[in-house]
Amino acid sequence: MPAPVVHFEILGEDPKKLQKFYKSVFDWSIMTNNPINYALIEPAGDRGIGGGIMAPREGEGSYITVYIEVDDLQAYLDKIEQAGGVTTVPVTEIPGMVTFAMFEDPEGNRVGLLKSE
């Protein structure tokens, strides 16, 4: 079965400005009451996927990425590297929230992986 895209992130230097922009243009429901300074975008009913808006890590510019759900993060990172990709964030767990990893494809596009539950 193909691995689905299940989440997206929009990163920019002024996350509050981005939140205001996307809420006003697309009427997105954006929740900001969490301890990790992450604006969570709720899926639109039974269509679409959820996402998030946040600031990039220091030294990185703005970018958008998608997250693909897989059952074994390290096995997929191994396959990605064998196919010419590069792991940029190893398997990382945020307790009680998510386990993820990130890679760059052969063209330098940033893509995330989320562990399926």
Side-chain angles (χ1 to χ4, degrees):
M1 170 192 284
V5 172
V6 294
H7 191 74
F8 68 92
E9 288 180 329
I10 302 169
L11 287 80
E13 296 300 321
D14 189 345
K16 291 198 182 308
K17 182 178 181 180
L18 289 173
Q19 292 167 31
K20 184 178 178 182
F21 171 82
Y22 283 99
K23 182 171 182 52
S24 69
V25 173
F26 298 108
D27 196 31
W28 287 354
S29 174
I30 301 175
M31 298 184 329
T32 58
N33 59 343
N34 62 66
I36 60 171
N37 201 23
Y38 188 85
L40 187 62
I41 301 163
E42 294 291 314
D46 62 348
R47 298 193 55 200
I49 60 174
I53 298 174
M54 61 187 260
R57 290 179 282 185
E58 189 173 322
E60 293 184 338
S62 300
Y63 66 92
I64 295 176
T65 193
V66 297
Y67 284 81
I68 301 166
E69 183 178 68
V70 297
D71 59 351
D72 185 333
L73 295 171
Q74 190 57 56
Y76 274 86
L77 289 174
D78 293 344
K79 288 171 64 172
I80 287 161
E81 290 186 2
Q82 291 171 1
V86 176
T87 299
T88 57
V89 177
V91 176
T92 303
E93 180 181 1
I94 300 176
M97 296 186 80
V98 67
T99 302
F100 73 100
M102 293 187 79
F103 67 93
E104 287 185 358
D105 67 19
E107 290 291 324
N109 296 303
R110 298 176 191 187
V111 179
L113 299 174
L114 291 179
K115 182 166 180 24
S116 56
E117 300 199 14

